[in-house]
Amino acid sequence: MTALAIDAGSRYVRLARVAPGGGPEPVALPGAVPGEGLPVPEAARGDRAAALRTAYDAYLRHHDAPARLLVVVPQHDRAGHARRAADALTTATARGPAPDVRTLTTPHAVLALLRHTGPLAPGRYAVCDLGAAAAEVSVCVVTPGAVAVAAASRHAPDDGYGDGFDAALLTRSGLTPDDDTRRALAAVRAEPGAARRLALVLDRAARDPARFETTAVHHVEGRPVTAGTVRAALPLLTDGLDRALAEVLGPGRTAPLALAGGVARFGPLRPHLDAAGLPLTALPDGTDPAHAAVLGAALVAAGRVDPADRYPYELWIGAHRTEAGRPADRELLISAAGTLEPGGPPVYAEDGGRRVGVRTAPGRPVRVRVTDPASGAGTPLGPLTLPGGSETDRFHVGVRLAVDGTAALVLHPLGAGPPGAFPLGTLPADIGTDTKEVGP
């Protein structure tokens, strides 16, 4: 059974699958740029769904339709991206039936790759997806059975993040920042020894600007790109990343950073992060950061690693019970830690493997609470006021988690009638008081 993963960026679409008896690897297709992927056609720029469809059609011209198709989507507007990906790819084609399309966010895909190569200690991690259009940072809470995104931020300048930086380099070097010169710049960066030379010259220029600022670090179409040009444009990357990190980490807090995306290849970012005291979590040896998400998604699609895209905490609801003829306040566990999946079916309270029947009281507020089973920390939600029924009305009580992270309490009548849903809002994803900052 074949499984395919696709990650559509603003300039390239990358495809990967797991080789029989081997690990994840990019899928090479005619027309692909070596080391990058399929270029996004100009007509599809800014339209991720169109880029996905074009790349999938190109895949089908050379391979059989996969049984499972996993699409990497950004954490930003996750629900919208998931819906558009499904709309673009779930129609049958002349080359085969529609595949089973599922989606996985970039931070979950990158962490899946890391968890496949070795266990990650429980704690907070920041996945930085640094691309041509935007820098997106997702702070993830990793527990033994789940990975939840606690906060996310996005820095997306009008002229792009990596695109804006490249345009500044080329323009200040007397070049026009069109597709051809951008590809030429990418090619010289990928040459053997180019990264080492860049790091060496920038270090010298920092110590002795008068002597080394005019030293060329690259030559693009016969024109030099100097150390001074790179140093002057570098804040376009570092300042944007700093703002995105500060927005989600908060003052004085750090977390190990996993850098992914094409811009993460750019070596000068790392000394900047080191100087800021932000530790890095290394990708597996030999992994191109631009392919980290699609390789992790390929492992998930092939069933090699659990995506762990589940809510990491318990959810409880206040209940009134009669014990020994007297009323008593108790809490009823609706969902255990690691059971709620975004976009998945409702999870219902059970006792001994059977759903619990409850009765609602009119006008009485109901307490809902989430707790961390490891630390015992908890935080309340609600309270909710549920509609009351008659003495004979009974419901199964559950919770449903939407793709966008919002939850709803579900009351399903034991008899006839549709279930009712009552919004709980966005569930908190970082409440453990004993969560430690862990090293790489």
Side-chain angles (χ1 to χ4, degrees):
M1 180 180 293
T2 59
L4 177 69
I6 304 181
D7 181 13
S10 59
R11 290 200 166 268
Y12 296 98
V13 181
R14 299 176 174 97
L15 301 89
R17 60 187 179 184
V18 175
E25 60 185 19
V27 176
L29 292 173
V33 176
E36 295 290 0
L38 285 172
V40 175
E42 187 172 351
R45 295 275 173 87
D47 187 344
R48 187 181 296 264
L52 281 171
R53 184 68 195 189
T54 300
Y56 185 58
D57 286 344
Y59 176 86
L60 292 179
R61 286 195 288 272
H62 303 278
H63 302 277
D64 293 334
R68 287 192 299 272
L69 179 58
L70 189 62
V71 178
V72 180
V73 297
Q75 182 64 35
H76 170 72
D77 188 25
R78 173 183 181 174
H81 284 296
R83 182 181 65 255
R84 290 186 287 272
D87 290 344
L89 298 174
T90 53
T91 56
T93 71
R95 297 179 179 87
D100 174 20
V101 178
R102 299 184 182 182
T103 59
L104 190 68
T105 67
T106 298
H108 283 98
V110 173
L111 290 176
L113 178 66
L114 292 172
R115 290 186 296 106
H116 178 70
T117 56
L120 282 182
R124 300 165 75 244
Y125 295 82
V127 177
C128 305
D129 180 22
L130 310 180
E136 300 190 7
V137 178
S138 301
V139 174
C140 302
V141 175
V142 176
T143 66
V147 173
V149 176
S153 62
R154 186 172 191 261
H155 172 67
D158 291 341
D159 56 351
Y161 179 65
D163 274 356
F165 174 72
D166 288 350
L169 289 185
L170 295 169
T171 300
R172 295 172 187 180
S173 302
L175 295 162
T176 302
D178 56 22
D179 285 352
D180 289 340
T181 54
R182 289 176 186 275
R183 281 194 288 269
L185 176 60
V188 298
R189 282 173 174 163
E191 291 175 356
R196 180 178 176 80
R197 172 176 174 78
L198 175 64
L200 180 64
V201 175
L202 289 183
D203 180 62
R204 289 175 175 174
R207 289 185 282 111
D208 190 352
R211 183 178 179 185
F212 292 102
E213 285 276 83
T214 57
T215 302
V217 295
H218 304 303
H219 284 84
V220 179
E221 296 186 349
R223 288 185 176 270
V225 178
T226 67
T229 299
V230 175
R231 279 162 47 83
L234 186 58
L236 293 174
L237 298 182
T238 55
D239 289 356
L241 179 55
D242 288 347
R243 287 196 295 270
L245 286 166
E247 183 178 337
V248 291
L249 289 177
R253 299 194 74 182
T254 63
L257 309 185
L259 302 184
V263 178
R265 297 165 170 161
F266 193 59
L269 281 176
R270 296 172 186 265
H272 172 78
L273 295 171
D274 289 341
L278 294 168
L280 296 180
T281 295
L283 297 175
D285 288 344
T287 301
D288 183 338
H291 290 83
V294 77
L295 295 177
L299 289 165
V300 172
R304 295 286 187 87
V305 63
D306 179 2
D309 187 8
R310 293 182 292 271
Y311 188 62
Y313 302 128
E314 301 170 332
L315 193 142
W316 297 77
I317 187 170
H320 301 277
R321 305 181 65 177
T322 301
E323 298 179 358
R326 295 183 177 182
D329 290 338
R330 292 289 184 268
E331 283 191 315
L332 178 65
L333 177 65
I334 302 178
S335 63
T339 57
L340 273 178
E341 297 184 16
V347 174
Y348 289 93
E350 294 186 348
D351 184 9
R354 300 181 62 181
R355 291 185 183 179
V356 177
V358 300
R359 181 171 62 86
T360 61
R364 177 181 292 172
V366 176
R367 302 183 312 276
V368 182
R369 187 169 64 95
V370 295
T371 63
D372 178 1
S375 68
T379 187
L381 303 176
L384 294 176
T385 300
L386 303 176
S390 69
E391 288 292 328
T392 59
D393 289 340
R394 292 290 187 275
F395 303 88
H396 292 144
V397 59
V399 64
R400 181 177 62 236
L401 186 61
V403 173
D404 63 3
T406 59
L409 193 72
V410 178
L411 291 180
H412 198 297
L414 270 63
F422 305 88
L424 288 171
T426 301
L427 296 182
D430 191 3
I431 64 172
T433 56
D434 66 346
T435 298
K436 298 178 177 61
E437 308 297 347
V438 293

